[in-house]
Every structure is written in C-alpha cells, then in structure tokens.
Amino acid sequence: MKNYIQVNLIKGEIFAADAYKKEWLGKPLLNSLQNPQPEKLEIVKEIFKPCNRVIILNCIDHLYGHSLLKLLNAQRHLECNSDYGLVVIVPKFLRWMVPDEVAEIWTVPISLKNGQNYYPSFAEFVEEETKRFDKIYVSEAHSHPSQFDITRFTRVPKHNFENKEIKITFIWREDRLLLNRCLLFRVLKKIDQQAMSLPLQNLKIQQLFEKIKLQVPEAQFAVAGLGTKTKFPEWIEDYRVDSFNEKIEKEICHLYSESRLIIGLHGSNMLLPSGHAGMTIDLIDERWGNFAQDILYQESDPRMATFRYRFLPYQTSNDTLAFIAAVMLLKWSKFKSQMTADVI
C-alpha cells in the first residue's frame, strides 16, 4: 500500500510510505488525535435523495484551495458513478458551491485554521449517519481533478469572448507582494513590516495598467481580492474587500467572468478567477514546484490552453508584462482561427 499512514498514539510514532507523507500528513494526523477538540459541532444535514449506496466526498481541509479542489471531484462522481448517491462533506464557506445533483450535504462549521483538528463530535456524527447506508465508498478526492465545468459549482457563466468589452482585472493580495527583490522590500520583510510596501505594489499595478492601455486603448481595468489598505484612481474599478462571504464570492465571480484577462500572483486566490475569466497570467515567485496548481483549466485543446493560461516569473518587468498582456488581448481571435481551423 503506497499511500498508507499509521500512527501509534501511545508511543507517538508515525509510519508512512515516504518521508514527505510522514511530514505533510502523518504529523498533523498524530497531533490531531493526541489533541481532540471538545467542542460539539452543529452539523447541518441536508438530504435531497435517499440512497442505500453512497460515495462520501470529504472536502474538509486547512487550506482554502485544497477544499475547493476536492469539491471539484463531485462532477466526476455524478457523471461516472450515477448508481451511487453522492454525500458531500463541506466546510460552511463552500456550501454555496455544492452541485445541485448530490444526494446529501453535510455542512460542518470548521474554520480553515481548525481544518486539521480532530473533533470527536464530528466522528460520532459520521459513525451514526453511515449506519443508514448499505454500501459506502470514500472518494479519493483527487487534489486536482482534470475535467469539470466550473459553472456547475458557482452557477456563474464563464467568459464570453464574443463580448466586445475588454476588461483586465488584477487579483490583489496583501500577504504576497508583486515586488522585485529590492533592498527596501527585503528590509521591510525582515522586520515584519511588509504592509509598508503596499503603496509600492499599488503604484506598480497602476503603471502596468497604464502600459497596457497604451497598447489597448479601449481596455477597462479593475482590481479585486483581499485587503483595502491602499486606494486606486477612479479609472480603475476597485472590488477589493476586507473579508469574503458567500454573497461577495458569488458577486465577484461575475467580475471574473466579465474579465478578458486576469493577472495575479500564484496562489489559491487564482482558482476561481482563472476558472471564469477568458485568459490568465499567473505570476510565480519561488513556487515553481506548484506550477499550474492554482489554475482551473477550462480549455481542452492544449494549443489554446497554452495561449489562454500563461505563467511568468513575478520579477517580470512591467514593460514585458504589458507587452504579453496586449498580445493576448489583441491576437486571441487570430490565434484561435489559425490553431482550430479544420484540416481540409
């Protein structure tokens, strides 16, 4: 068994298939079992279709992107395992994205920061509820399912390339900055004062948009994301928030859908934007080992996918970034006609 993980609670020992799994999965598992949380969770159970045979898809995790990616497995089960009812376990913040066709939803009020904790009340709930079924399978919940339609989850349409409006949206975040490794930034990071760099990031984005506008005069610009510590000029629409909730996430997905191009720093903040926007530029810092894990590909043709989803070092200059963005915006139709024409 290549993926086994076992723990000895008495001796505090971990047995895993390899060192990576021991560190990444084994240690949190042991720690959670050694420190059970006494809180009684108020779990909401919704039954839409009584079933005797089910697949359980558990989307509880301590990272937002992991939870979302696990949920995307639902489409595969609904389409390929229709003889079984699908029971989805989700944290409260993902309830709105569960597809309509599932048999049951168990909504658990566990926050991301507590996503690795062990709650005996949750274990008791699962043990009791599973007595209702004759046969149970547990989904592997693949970390990045290959085929899914994001609209089945968000109920928001993907970008329409027939729309004449060209909107470029930058996904803002304040914990990971779009700055070259300048001396000032290194000093501020060392003294835990990265927030002082935010005006520089704001300025850099303004300058990037200005350079794109010189090449695509009709373009409109917006910023979205988490954090509102700086201000943008009026010609840049500002959709940033201090926190997300279900209503805001639904609304912001429409902005992503309207965007011909999304630009942002690599991370889970790019998942829903990339799934709805026409094209994306993903700026990666040192996380090249996690290449493409934050992109929800909605393109099956590999040639079109390489055009629509670009990956660049975050140190890329604004001049180069603006040039590439302009090429994507202006040459999309021609590229598509050349690469997807029927062979005669």
Side-chain angles (χ1 to χ4, degrees), residues 215-283:
Q215 301 173 73
V216 191
E218 68 274 26
Q220 300 176 24
F221 301 89
V223 289
L226 199 58
T228 58
K229 287 190 173 73
T230 62
K231 293 188 179 298
F232 283 89
E234 290 186 0
W235 60 275
I236 299 175
E237 295 178 272
D238 194 344
Y239 295 91
R240 295 173 301 161
V241 295
D242 288 318
S243 63
F244 282 106
N245 56 40
E246 179 179 329
K247 181 176 182 294
I248 291 173
E249 281 209 284
K250 286 180 179 178
E251 291 174 350
I252 211 68
C253 281
H254 286 280
L255 171 66
Y256 304 151
S257 176
E258 294 167 3
S259 301
R260 182 65 49 86
L261 175 64
I262 290 280
I263 304 172
L265 285 157
H266 174 88
S268 60
N269 53 286
M270 291 294 284
L271 288 168
L272 289 178
S274 65
H276 292 86
M279 299 179 282
T280 65
I281 295 178
D282 194 66
L283 302 171

Side-chain angles (χ1 to χ4, degrees), residues 5 54 59 85 93 101 120 144 170 181 195 208 252 254 315 327:
I5 294 176
V54 298
C59 303
F93 63 83
E101 305 94 325
H144 213 296
F170 191 95
R181 296 183 180 277
L208 171 62
I252 211 68
H254 286 280
Q315 299 96 334
V327 168

Side-chain angles (χ1 to χ4, degrees), residues 144 148 270-271 274 280 282 292-297 309 311:
H144 213 296
F148 56 87
M270 291 294 284
L271 288 168
S274 65
T280 65
D282 194 66
Q293 292 180 4
D294 60 335
I295 298 297
L296 299 184
Y297 284 88
Y309 306 101
F311 301 88

Side-chain angles (χ1 to χ4, degrees), residues 150-212:
I150 193 62
T151 64
R152 290 185 67 172
F153 297 87
T154 64
R155 288 87 169 172
V156 175
K158 290 177 280 191
H159 182 74
N160 181 6
F161 281 94
E162 299 301 318
N163 191 337
K164 299 301 181 183
E165 180 182 280
I166 296 178
K167 177 171 285 186
I168 300 100
T169 300
F170 191 95
I171 306 302
W172 173 275
R173 57 187 298 168
E174 297 187 346
D175 61 333
R176 196 174 297 170
L177 303 183
L178 179 67
L179 294 171
N180 292 334
R181 296 183 180 277
C182 62
L183 178 59
L184 174 61
F185 176 66
R186 291 201 300 270
V187 171
L188 292 175
K189 186 175 182 179
K190 190 172 184 178
I191 61 175
D192 196 26
Q193 295 294 323
Q194 299 98 308
M196 295 178 65
S197 300
L198 293 177
L200 293 177
Q201 172 165 277
N202 182 303
L203 179 61
K204 187 175 179 69
I205 294 169
Q206 289 186 50
Q207 292 173 340
L208 171 62
F209 282 173
E210 288 169 350
K211 290 178 182 295
I212 295 175

